[in-house]
Amino acid sequence: SQQGEEDPQALSIQEGENATMNCSYKTSINNLQWYRQNSGRGLVHLILIRSNEREKHSGRLRVTLDTSKKSSSLLITASRAADTASYFCATVAAASSARQLTFGSGTQLTVLP
Amino acid sequence: GAGVSQTPSNKVTEKGKYVELRCDPISGHTALYWYRQSLGQGPEFLIYFQGTGAADDSGLPNDRFFAVRPEGSVSTLKIQRTERGDSAMYLCASRAQGASIYEQYFGPGTRLTVT
């Protein structure tokens, strides 16, 4: 089963509203990364949060991490139509020697103009 | 410089046929990853190369899947006796030596359809 699970699976909002997406994971991690994927394209990394951080900002993006609940959230403020994309969290299990990212199932965000 | 490129962008093949998918990583990137992404799902790891060797191929689903990177640059993912369940987007990513595992740069993918 996948390490990360996002909710909601799909989110539709009006331009200017805020969008919040959540991600849960199962094992201890060192870092968590959020990615964006435009329809049918590759992924672009957005923001990385380390396990000793609780919150991180980058422009209109705000990421939180709660390691006790094994969850993270991505907030996009003042959304724009161009933010329409799928958003994924990804982790690497801290205790393993695996050199692979495990992605969640993603949230499809639609921002209506 | 150029990003990761993948060819073809789309591939339609008949069940039972053999296909090759190509990935050109960012020049100088030593690490290369292949992922498979089904519709509505996140990417799933297939194989990771460090240089010419496969450092981790634990994600390959079965022995019909094979990947090579003979000169430590371009990689080819090979699928034998394709099945309809192999239909997916195949993504390639590369990473510079010493960079975090999270600093992978993804290509646009190859959409494989097996009819």
Side-chain angles (χ1 to χ4, degrees), chain B residues 46-47 49:
Chain B
L46 294 176
I47 187 169
F49 287 90

Side-chain angles (χ1 to χ4, degrees), chain A residues 19 27 33 35 44 55 67 74 82 88 105 112:
Chain A
T27 64
Q33 174 82 47
Y35 290 86
V44 175
E55 188 170 311
T67 52
L74 170 67
F88 298 89
S105 53
L112 303 169

Side-chain angles (χ1 to χ4, degrees), chain A residues 32-52:
Chain A
L32 184 143
Q33 174 82 47
W34 282 91
Y35 290 86
R36 168 198 167 115
Q37 184 179 35
N38 284 14
S39 179
R41 307 295 293 175
L43 284 81
V44 175
H45 38 78
L46 292 177
I47 190 166
L48 175 82
I49 187 164
R50 303 187 190 285
S51 59
N52 62 353

Side-chain angles (χ1 to χ4, degrees), chain A residues 2 31-33 35 37 40-43 45 48 88 90-92 98-101 103-106, chain B residues 33 35 37 40-45 48 55-56 58 89 91 101-108 111:
Chain A
Q2 289 192 329
N31 306 294
L32 184 143
Q33 174 82 47
Y35 290 86
Q37 184 179 35
R41 307 295 293 175
L43 284 81
H45 38 78
L48 175 82
F88 298 89
T91 58
V92 176
R99 302 167 191 172
Q100 51 179 277
L101 289 172
F103 287 86
S105 53
Chain B
Y33 302 79
Y35 296 87
Q37 185 177 23
Q41 297 296 314
E44 291 182 303
F45 169 81
Y48 155 58
D56 184 351
S58 61
M89 176 75 88
L91 295 168
I101 187 172
Y102 293 95
E103 292 182 63
Q104 296 180 31
Y105 291 83
F106 284 80
R111 181 164 297 284

Side-chain angles (χ1 to χ4, degrees), chain A:
Chain A
S1 62
Q2 289 192 329
Q3 163 98 313
E5 297 293 334
E6 275 97 336
D7 77 87
Q9 289 187 326
L11 179 62
S12 184
I13 60 173
Q14 295 290 327
E15 217 168 17
E17 294 181 338
N18 296 341
T20 300
M21 291 159 271
N22 303 296
C23 162
S24 61
Y25 55 91
K26 294 186 174 66
T27 64
S28 295
I29 60 171
N30 291 327
N31 306 294
L32 184 143
Q33 174 82 47
W34 282 91
Y35 290 86
R36 168 198 167 115
Q37 184 179 35
N38 284 14
S39 179
R41 307 295 293 175
L43 284 81
V44 175
H45 38 78
L46 292 177
I47 190 166
L48 175 82
I49 187 164
R50 303 187 190 285
S51 59
N52 62 353
E53 297 176 310
R54 292 296 167 258
E55 188 170 311
K56 197 163 182 180
H57 296 252
S58 177
R60 294 185 295 112
L61 305 180
R62 173 178 164 249
V63 169
T64 64
L65 181 64
D66 186 334
T67 52
S68 67
K69 295 181 180 177
K70 292 187 168 57
S71 67
S72 174
S73 68
L74 170 67
L75 167 69
I76 304 174
T77 60
S79 63
R80 305 167 182 167
D83 294 329
T84 294
S86 291
Y87 293 82
F88 298 89
C89 68
T91 58
V92 176
S96 82
S97 60
R99 302 167 191 172
Q100 51 179 277
L101 289 172
T102 300
F103 287 86
S105 53
T107 293
Q108 170 63 52
L109 173 66
T110 302
V111 181
L112 303 169

